Amino acid sequence: MGRGSRPAWRLRLSWARPLGRLVRRLGQFVGKQWHQSAWVAEGRFLVEGILWDVARRWPRLGARNRRRRVGSGDEGPVRRLSALRFELAWVPMAHAQGLEIAHTATRLGVHVGTENLTRNQTVWSDAIHESVLVSAYPLALWLASSWWRLHWEPLLAPGAHVTLEWRKAHEMESAGFGFVWPRVLFASDGEAMQIWAVAARSRSKNRKAVRYLTGTEGPVSVPLTDFTQGVDDFMAATVWRLKVRTRLYGDSTLRTLWDDLRGDRADPRRAQWRRCEAELGFPIGQCPNGLMDKALALQDVMGPAVSELLPVYGKAAGLAFVPLEALSGTPGIAGRPMDPRAPKTRTAPQGASWAQAALMAHEVRAAIGLAAGPLEDKVLYDLLGVPKDTKPHATLGPAARAAVAIPGIRDEYRILIREGDRPTQRFAWARLFADFLLPEAARGPWLASTDLMTWRQKYQRALAAELLCPIEALKAYLNGNTSPAGVDLAARDFGVPIEIVEAVLSYNGILSSRVRFGEPKTGFPYYQGRFASEFAWLPGGKGVATFRKM
């Protein structure tokens, strides 16, 4: 054998890849029926499986042929990197449940920022893998069918029962099809997608074939636009793979879901219908038309505030539309809120950032000449424009799900506050004032305060907390004493609930807490498990998941 010649076994293996390409071309040339026949598919998988095994065992063999240009046929369109990334490396998979599953087999990596949610360890080896072998088709079906609820259905109010239907729409494990998916929860706050991931226990009794190793401390927030872009890129890559590899895409369920979804998103009226449907807690097309007509009519009256009220009066609350519609006729306390800040010095809120809300609260305090110290009741009611001869009181019972301010004539509002003790009511008044400070285009005519974890409610809580209990005044009062007794005294003298003092200290890095104003530090934001003993002390009883108290 000469110096420049190649071994005979390498020459024989070099025919494998052209043979695989020939089989694929023949299948595409002869036609759809012949291309879908089982023996051709199995033959193609056999050839591709041999090539994949050879490439794994001898990486240098055929390395030149394995290089592909970005954006070539199998990769699909070039994807823009975002805060949420689905990384796909297509691999052959024989003996799958169907050709759609087999043709979309991939080594999947799900990355949220710097976190790799698919880092795992299998039962067959102790090696750590950065991706997991699954099919992209089931995940694409789940994302397409849950798209509207993922984007617009928030976490339920504290203490609400989490139904199986809700979990199916928000937990990635619901993609199913026999694959072991990571325990990841998606829940939108209207501005950002909050993502929780729970790592599998190393000594769990219900050990699965794949053990995921990544768990997040609290929710990881991804801008909603980035989440949408990441899902769209994943869907485009999966659809491209199906179109290139098989003729089945035209008759697949994925095509129907994806085409309908794109059509709904492109039509503003249909998009608004789907959004209201998701906020009420219904899957696509399952909300009764009469209920949807009522929701759309309320939206015309309330504006953006309806998105804060529909989830708390929707399906999770037993469709309590009678109390919601009755709010318009409920008597309340007249008030004319005012923004004491000079127009040129006003900070426009940008999302649910605590720092932004704190800055706005400090601006309000500076405008009324109160840099430090507790905020008196009289000053708080003056900010809301309550007449001096009126004694503020609760106009709604303790079972009410929201506090609202309904616009009237000449910038006057009719304010409806839920029943509670003095600190709770002070915080409720401050939250409605915080809602009033939002630009009218963002808040709409109605002001609404609920127990949800939407960006608007989180902004309200942060501004109200810093308005009633500013961090500098709180630090001066405590003088380093962050014991439970010190926190209790501070809550009493500042006139706020104890949880507010803990939240202010926690967000400013002074007090270490497992809960940051409603955001659990580890695990999902609700308790769940397989055995009754894990639920014995919960109000929901056996087998019912309940949101953590926030």
Side-chain angles (χ1 to χ4, degrees), residues 4-161:
S5 60
R6 302 173 62 186
W9 62 272
R10 284 202 177 188
L11 289 175
R12 286 195 298 270
L13 284 174
S14 65
W15 284 94
R17 187 170 295 277
L19 179 60
R21 286 199 296 266
L22 177 61
V23 172
R24 288 195 296 272
R25 295 294 184 270
L26 285 174
Q28 295 170 3
F29 175 77
V30 172
K32 179 178 179 180
Q33 298 299 325
W34 193 79
H35 180 258
Q36 293 180 7
S37 62
W39 69 272
V40 173
E42 290 297 331
R44 186 167 63 253
F45 290 142
L46 178 62
V47 173
E48 292 179 352
I50 293 174
L51 294 176
W52 180 82
D53 190 60
V54 169
R56 181 175 60 84
R57 292 174 180 272
W58 298 286
R60 296 181 60 187
L61 182 62
R64 179 177 60 85
N65 292 330
R66 288 198 306 273
R67 297 193 185 101
R68 294 177 179 174
R69 293 176 286 110
V70 175
S72 63
D74 279 354
E75 274 78 7
V78 178
R79 295 173 292 154
R80 178 181 65 84
L81 292 180
S82 65
L84 173 68
R85 305 191 312 278
F86 294 89
E87 295 186 352
L88 302 170
W90 306 113
V91 298
M93 179 186 290
H95 308 295
Q97 299 178 31
L99 289 181
E100 296 96 338
I101 303 295
H103 282 295
T104 55
T106 181
R107 299 290 310 186
L108 174 67
V110 181
H111 298 263
V112 178
T114 58
E115 299 284 350
N116 180 5
L117 305 186
T118 49
R119 192 166 183 265
N120 68 88
Q121 185 178 33
T122 64
V123 296
W124 301 287
S125 69
D126 293 331
I128 305 298
H129 305 279
E130 301 300 321
S131 59
V132 62
L133 178 60
V134 293
S135 173
Y137 188 77
L139 184 58
L141 286 176
W142 177 73
L143 288 170
S145 61
S146 304
W147 195 93
W148 292 103
R149 296 185 71 178
L150 287 172
H151 278 74
W152 302 118
E153 185 180 27
L155 286 175
L156 301 181
H161 292 166

Side-chain angles (χ1 to χ4, degrees), residues 189-229:
D189 69 359
E191 183 186 66
M193 180 61 70
Q194 301 168 102
I195 304 174
W196 287 263
V198 178
R201 299 175 182 176
S202 58
R203 296 182 179 180
S204 175
K205 295 180 180 179
N206 300 310
R207 190 176 182 184
K208 299 179 180 179
V210 179
R211 185 168 69 89
Y212 290 97
L213 306 176
T214 300
T216 59
E217 289 195 2
V220 177
S221 292
V222 173
L224 203 56
T225 52
D226 278 8
F227 175 80
T228 304
Q229 183 65 53

Side-chain angles (χ1 to χ4, degrees), residues 278-429:
E279 289 170 347
L280 285 169
F282 285 93
I284 296 175
Q286 295 189 20
C287 183
N289 290 337
L291 191 61
M292 281 301 303
D293 291 339
K294 290 182 179 181
L296 294 174
L298 288 174
Q299 184 184 46
D300 294 338
V301 175
M302 300 178 180
V306 77
S307 295
E308 309 298 316
L309 297 173
L310 288 183
V312 294
Y313 287 95
K315 193 174 182 180
L319 300 177
F321 254 55
V322 173
L324 176 58
E325 294 173 315
L327 288 176
S328 299
T330 304
I333 301 170
R336 189 169 290 155
M338 55 164 286
D339 188 346
R341 301 172 298 169
K344 292 184 179 180
T345 63
R346 295 175 183 175
T347 298
Q350 298 177 358
S353 167
W354 184 284
Q356 286 281 337
L359 178 60
M360 293 177 64
H362 295 164
E363 290 174 353
V364 171
R365 278 180 158 262
I368 61 178
L370 183 64
L375 189 73
E376 296 181 358
D377 292 351
K378 178 182 178 301
V379 178
L380 177 60
Y381 299 141
D382 286 345
L383 289 174
L384 285 154
V386 178
K388 295 181 180 180
D389 57 349
T390 302
K391 183 179 180 180
H393 60 279
T395 54
L396 298 174
R401 295 182 174 88
V404 298
I406 304 170
I409 59 174
R410 298 178 184 176
D411 299 329
E412 190 175 82
Y413 283 86
R414 179 160 36 94
I415 303 173
L416 310 179
I417 294 291
R418 291 182 282 183
E419 186 177 331
D421 55 15
R422 176 178 173 268
T424 302
Q425 289 221 348
R426 276 171 51 87
F427 192 61
W429 284 96

